[in-house]
Amino acid sequence: MDLVSARQQMSAIRASMAASEEDVGDVQSFGRDKTYLGVVSTDSVTLQADCSGVPPDSGICIETNPAPGATSVDETDLGVINLPAKATNSLLCFTVTQFSTWIWQNSTAAQATGDMSLYVTVQIENDALLGLADADGNPFNGTLFDFPNPIVVSTQQSSLPPGAFELQRERTTRSCTGGFVSARSLAAEGLTDAQIKDFFNSPMTVRFGTSGNVSLVDIAIFFAGIRLYGD
């Protein structure tokens, strides 16, 4: 079969598979193949009382506040995937696995609640968003960020007696449903069909980070592995 005939046959197959929004929920990606777009492991973030002896090339180290105070985390650009133009048709999906290890420690003289809440953050840069604004009139400034729900979270709380010292580990994987971004989500933000097409036809950079907070933790280490795919 020559290339022209193959393309005609594929067009006929897709036409015969046509479905409505009511039928499948996402007509833009319906019937399309999955395309793998890259993989990255974020730099680790370590939280401990003293970072003076931590080598600079071992990742981010944040010194924790004295117990029982909380310590906030907001680190960006811990992992990057650069996508060329037209890397995906209408969807940017993911599989994310977080790796977290921490030690509860209550060095106070009273019962207290420890908190371990760290999550992966995502920021998508695309020049097609320059000069555009979201549905509320806020300018994108070329960037999508602050997604409604963290994509994967390590969150635990524990009531700790005085002197408590306990090692914990957690591994959680989450796969895509609506994706980081899709033609459907961009339409909900007020973009036109032409602007959405321009978005997916343009190169984009996806940056990953870590945010959250911890308390009553002697040491905590958090990082994630991410694979992207599209249609």
Side-chain angles (χ1 to χ4, degrees):
M1 183 182 296
D2 60 40
L3 184 58
V4 173
S5 297
R7 286 176 174 170
Q8 290 173 342
Q9 183 176 6
M10 183 57 68
S11 296
I13 291 172
R14 286 179 174 167
S16 69
M17 294 173 60
S20 68
E21 194 82 13
E22 291 74 18
D23 290 329
V24 299
D26 185 4
V27 296
Q28 289 85 2
S29 64
F30 177 75
R32 301 188 68 89
D33 292 333
K34 179 190 290 186
T35 302
Y36 289 98
L37 299 176
V39 65
V40 68
S41 180
T42 67
D43 293 339
S44 65
V45 173
T46 300
L47 295 102
Q48 58 189 48
D50 183 5
C51 291
S52 59
V54 177
D57 59 356
S58 64
I60 303 295
C61 186
I62 299 171
E63 294 188 349
T64 53
N65 293 316
T71 301
S72 296
V73 178
D74 188 12
E75 297 292 334
T76 59
D77 213 13
L78 300 181
V80 179
I81 294 178
N82 293 302
L83 299 177
K86 300 182 179 180
T88 183
N89 178 67
S90 70
L91 186 68
L92 192 59
C93 255
F94 60 86
T95 299
V96 179
T97 301
Q98 62 83 7
F99 301 84
S100 53
T101 302
W102 71 97
I103 297 175
W104 295 124
Q105 182 178 24
N106 183 4
S107 57
T108 72
Q111 189 92 7
T113 299
D115 182 34
M116 167 68 178
S117 300
L118 296 176
Y119 56 90
V120 177
T121 61
V122 187
Q123 176 176 296
I124 299 175
E125 300 167 5
N126 189 313
D127 285 349
L129 295 173
L130 292 172
L132 302 181
D134 64 20
D136 296 322
N138 302 307
F140 289 114
N141 294 323
T143 303
L144 287 173
F145 61 96
D146 290 342
F147 291 85
N149 299 298
I151 55 173
V152 64
V153 180
S154 177
T155 177
Q156 298 284 341
Q157 287 189 330
S158 182
S159 181
L160 304 171
F165 191 86
E166 182 180 346
L167 174 66
Q168 297 285 322
R169 291 189 178 91
E170 185 179 68
R171 308 289 183 268
T172 303
T173 297
R174 181 182 172 193
S175 291
C176 169
T177 302
F180 293 145
V181 64
S182 67
R184 189 177 184 181
S185 68
L186 291 175
E189 290 291 350
L191 271 66
T192 66
D193 289 345
Q195 290 168 340
I196 293 169
K197 183 177 181 179
D198 190 27
F199 177 91
F200 286 106
N201 283 345
S202 300
M204 63 183 88
T205 297
V206 187
R207 301 186 188 276
F208 301 95
T210 300
S211 290
N213 61 81
V214 304
S215 62
L216 295 184
V217 167
D218 177 62
I219 185 171
I221 302 171
F222 182 90
F223 67 97
I226 301 118
R227 180 173 288 279
L228 297 184
Y229 53 95
D231 65 340

